[in-house]
Amino acid sequence: MTTVIPFGPQHPVLPEPVQLKLELDNDVVVGALPSLGYVHRGLEKFIDTKDYNQTLYICERICGICSAIHSITYARGVEQLMNVEIPERAEYLRVIWSELARVQSHLLWLGLFADGFGFESLFMECWKYREAVMDIMEMTTGNRVITSMCKVGGTTKDLSKEHIDIILKAIDNLEPQVENLEKVFVNNYTVKKRLVGLGVLSKQLAYDVGAVGPTLRGSGVHSDIRESPSWSIYKDLNFKAVIENDGDCYARTKVRIYELYECFKLIRNAISKLPAGEISIPVKGSPAAGAEAISRAEQPRGEVVYYVKGNGTKNLERLKIRTPTFANIPALLQMLPGIKLADVPVVVLTVDPCISCTER
Amino acid sequence: MLENNVEIKSSSELLKIVQELKNDGYRYATMICLKANDGHELIYVLDKNYVLKTLRYFVKPSEKPKSMSGIYLCALLIENEYQDLFGLTFEGLAIDFKGHLYLTPNSPKTPLA
């Protein structure tokens, strides 16, 4: 006989409300059903009243943690619609801020994850290191979270020589700190005991259920939108996707740890190649009626998909956003059966759930 | 116009093509729903090696489109979303929230319809 118990919507490991109805046989999960709708804000409807420039500021408020890449992906979609080619310097600036955002997001997740499996001092350590990146965001854009550094046609902010020196110094300090974190997350006996072999998602299943990001790459699937032809700038920056093969909680953790080093490399390379010139071009007119575009980017949690359609006015006919956590929920439902109730929080956290993104 | 776009005429043809694409290694990225005349337009977005393929299908008024959740389980969330927001009814949904994935009984009905 099985019992159904609710996991959430309020739970110590969940920063945002979502509920899983867990079907249990004794303390082993045999089934899970998601229950959403606690933070649905109707943003795709809300933009009916906003023009395409204002919509960018709605998009970056979908989520606090990945707001920078939301605005960049949206801007790229509208730029495609309107055949706008942005200045090269703006492309590089967008990469620098995107990768800084990924660093703070992964450090935030590592902290929450450590707290989730009961390692509170490690949580504080991760968040202490994250502050350095938040300070850079504040210094370079004026805000820690909603940075508004992107606009249709380029960026709103530039990096001065002084900013660049501070960023490079901060990364030089941060890298050995991340090496210290890696020693604990990757090598510590207790942490490994908690994560290895838990919540396994096979390579084939991860692909079939549409998983994205570290959830997909942790199962051995080589997929990172930064490698796609539409993001050729990453190829110039010598980007290499991080892949782990075991498909368990430990593998997904290692992907995020190793991605931090990749971020540092990308930021350094982007700064070393940062071209001089304008940071934006003026964009006039409106997206043509019937014009449509799909724009994708790699968020910290995985691939985000934006669809934009114009109607000949300043307002868009349709904006559709498929966020990474939305794609990872079916994968999560596949990871849970067979594990113990006590392990559910750890497994849920390894998809780095962002519910504000999911429900928009 | 989107690249690699294919217009699909019937729901049986749609199911057949989606199954073929899955067998060919395509991943389900998402589905987009648009209002079109009196009905709706569904754009299925599939990905293989970073190249997208889009299948466009017109849903006539009062038609119940077939669910893709039997082929791609992950389709169930987006199909449930469109049941909430556009008032569509997908036949054969693996898990059917019956218009209440996001919306409560007191919420505005089908806000994007």
Side-chain angles (χ1 to χ4, degrees), chain A residues 33-34 36-37 45 207 209 212 223-224 227-228 292 294 296 303 307 318 320 322 326 330 334 358 360, chain B residues 2 25 27 29-30 32-34 47 50 52 56 73-74 77-78 81-82 86 95 97 101-102 111-112:
Chain A
L33 190 65
L36 304 172
K45 173 71 178 168
Y207 193 79
V209 297
V212 294
S223 176
D224 190 312
E227 285 190 336
S228 75
E292 50 188 352
I294 291 177
R296 296 190 288 169
E303 172 202 47
Y307 169 85
R318 176 85 167 107
K320 166 71 197 150
R322 201 298 320 278
F326 192 91
Q334 301 294 322
T358 304
R360 292 150 279 130
Chain B
L2 302 175
R27 186 175 63 87
T30 192
I32 297 145
C33 183
L34 306 160
D47 166 275
Y50 309 126
L52 291 180
R56 205 177 278 264
L73 179 66
C74 50
L77 276 183
I78 191 72
E81 178 173 316
Y82 292 148
F86 284 90
I95 303 170
F97 290 85
L101 177 70
Y102 299 137
L112 287 175

Side-chain angles (χ1 to χ4, degrees), chain A residues 184-344:
Chain A
V184 184
F185 277 104
V186 176
N187 300 328
N188 181 278
Y189 173 81
T190 314
V191 175
K192 280 174 80 172
K193 192 86 178 158
R194 194 81 171 89
L195 304 181
V196 172
L198 181 66
V200 176
L201 186 70
S202 71
K203 184 177 183 179
Q204 189 61 48
L205 194 55
Y207 193 79
D208 287 349
V209 297
V212 294
T215 307
L216 182 64
R217 291 192 289 280
S219 291
V221 180
H222 194 120
S223 176
D224 190 312
I225 293 299
R226 288 173 288 178
E227 285 190 336
S228 75
S230 63
W231 281 101
S232 57
I233 185 170
Y234 275 99
K235 195 175 177 187
D236 298 340
L237 299 175
N238 195 24
F239 170 68
K240 296 271 184 302
V242 176
I243 316 291
E244 290 290 326
N245 294 312
D246 293 337
D248 55 5
C249 292
Y250 186 57
R252 292 188 279 278
T253 306
K254 282 198 287 183
V255 168
R256 292 188 179 94
I257 290 267
Y258 299 144
E259 277 191 353
L260 288 171
Y261 299 119
E262 201 59 32
C263 294
F264 299 145
K265 182 182 87 182
L266 287 169
I267 294 166
R268 286 191 184 107
N269 289 352
I271 285 174
S272 70
K273 293 186 174 186
L274 185 64
E278 296 295 316
I279 58 167
S280 67
I281 57 161
V283 178
K284 291 181 179 158
S286 303
E292 50 188 352
I294 291 177
S295 163
R296 296 190 288 169
E298 192 70 26
Q299 294 264 29
R301 292 160 186 79
E303 172 202 47
V304 64
V305 182
Y306 269 71
Y307 169 85
V308 283
K309 182 174 184 180
N311 61 7
T313 72
K314 291 270 185 191
N315 297 69
L316 292 176
E317 176 72 16
R318 176 85 167 107
L319 167 70
K320 166 71 197 150
I321 306 150
R322 201 298 320 278
T323 60
T325 302
F326 192 91
N328 280 331
I329 286 178
L332 174 63
L333 301 181
Q334 301 294 322
M335 293 173 202
L336 294 173
I339 67 165
K340 291 192 170 184
L341 178 60
D343 288 326
V344 170

Side-chain angles (χ1 to χ4, degrees), chain B residues 1-85:
Chain B
M1 184 56 77
L2 302 175
E3 289 176 18
N4 294 323
N5 186 55
V6 180
E7 302 268 349
I8 308 287
K9 300 291 178 204
S10 70
S11 61
S12 57
E13 183 192 359
L14 178 64
L15 280 172
K16 184 169 165 270
I17 291 179
V18 170
Q19 183 66 62
E20 284 172 3
L21 289 171
K22 186 184 181 195
N23 296 343
D24 194 25
Y26 276 85
R27 186 175 63 87
Y28 189 94
T30 192
M31 176 175 66
I32 297 145
C33 183
L34 306 160
K35 286 187 282 184
N37 301 325
D38 290 334
H40 295 89
E41 194 170 40
L42 298 179
I43 306 171
Y44 294 84
V45 184
L46 300 145
D47 166 275
K48 184 180 173 187
N49 299 331
Y50 309 126
V51 178
L52 291 180
K53 192 168 193 78
T54 51
L55 309 175
R56 205 177 278 264
Y57 177 66
F58 179 72
V59 182
K60 299 176 200 71
S62 78
E63 181 187 344
K64 293 180 178 175
K66 298 268 191 295
S67 169
M68 292 298 146
S69 58
I71 301 171
Y72 289 104
L73 179 66
C74 50
L76 74 92
L77 276 183
I78 191 72
E79 289 174 354
N80 271 294
E81 178 173 316
Y82 292 148
Q83 292 200 148
D84 279 32
L85 304 182

